[in-house]
Amino acid sequence: MMGFIYIVLVVVGITSVAYLAKLSAKNGVSSFDLTFIMFAVASVLGYCLASFNGVTTQHYTGELYFASAIAGIGGATAVFTFNHAVRVGHFGYSNSIYRSSFLIPVIFSAVFFKEKLSIMNITGILFILTSIFLVSWSNDAFTKRKGNSNSLWFLLIIFAFMLSGLPRIGQLLISRNGLNSFAYLFISYAIGFVLLLIFFLSGRKRIKGLALLYGSLAAFASFMGVYCTLEALKLLPAAVVFPVTLSAPIMLGMFISFIYKERNKLTGWIGVGLGICGILILSLEAYMK
């Protein structure tokens, strides 16, 4: 029973991070300010969680720093770009594409670790790529007309999609090398924060109070999602945890999109459905080996 409670908390955490991006945009908080505060608070939480779980200096190896740097730089940039994409275009579609980056570590493993792609892998990848095309098409991303902000949205969300695969690659490296996951979480968030801090110090103005609120809430929600994922995996098979926690936030994102009366075409719904199917196929294939 506790394992399923953790899964629910993971879904709530992941969905809350995305929803806070939408909510903060409606209240005039910039994408950079939200991301900056989120990574600042998450770094502190990461340090506390690592200390609580007995992480020592010997856990901070060169391999861990390398994997954390990939995840931190990619993650900070991806979150910022996603937050900006939500401010430019469709929330539900943005969330659907962003969460589909599960295919990136699958392709990474095939290219760099020489793992063979099965028929299920290929099917899942094709489903997700088709999903991205249909969702983008339904959002008029390929329509050529003056002042079409959806073209900018498409570039932003594809960039966010590709970059969000880097933290997953970092997780893959941590898993394959048996490195400490809590040390990885702290260092990856900290590196992401340092990157954002450099840009902040290069001429940013004062952070708004609302950014402190939304960024802190996003950090807590993000960490709740990560921590509960680790706890759920101790109690339930990964083949149960990952399909649910990857696909449910997409469906909830579309529900939020419906509440905000965003325009959802049939092709968009089909694309979202294919994306969820692709994620389920890839996750079940990966964790049932």
Side-chain angles (χ1 to χ4, degrees), residues 175-282:
S175 176
R176 288 182 66 92
N177 294 298
L179 303 176
N180 188 280
S181 58
F182 294 107
Y184 159 76
L185 286 172
F186 165 52
I187 297 299
S188 60
Y189 275 116
I191 289 176
F193 168 67
V194 170
L195 175 65
L196 295 167
L197 181 62
I198 292 172
F199 284 95
F200 175 75
L201 295 175
S202 66
R204 292 288 304 173
K205 297 180 180 179
R206 183 178 299 177
I207 300 287
K208 291 183 179 180
L210 277 177
L212 295 173
L213 172 63
Y214 287 119
S216 298
L217 290 174
F220 279 105
S222 175
F223 239 87
M224 181 179 74
V226 173
Y227 177 77
C228 290
T229 297
L230 295 172
E231 292 300 311
L233 288 170
K234 295 177 184 178
L235 301 172
L236 295 171
V240 173
V241 175
F242 286 102
V244 176
T245 57
L246 287 168
S247 58
I250 294 178
M251 292 185 285
L252 287 174
M254 292 302 294
F255 177 72
I256 293 171
S257 173
F258 177 77
I259 291 177
Y260 277 91
K261 298 180 180 180
E262 290 185 325
R263 183 185 179 192
N264 297 305
K265 295 181 179 179
L266 178 59
T267 50
W269 283 108
I270 294 173
V272 170
L274 285 174
I276 291 174
C277 289
I279 290 172
L280 293 176
I281 291 170
L282 288 181

Side-chain angles (χ1 to χ4, degrees), residues 16-29 34 86-87 91 214 217 260:
S16 296
V17 173
Y19 179 61
L20 284 166
K22 174 74 172 178
L23 197 60
S24 63
K26 291 181 67 67
N27 286 279
V29 176
L34 177 67
V86 168
R87 285 157 172 75
F91 170 77
Y214 287 119
L217 290 174
Y260 277 91

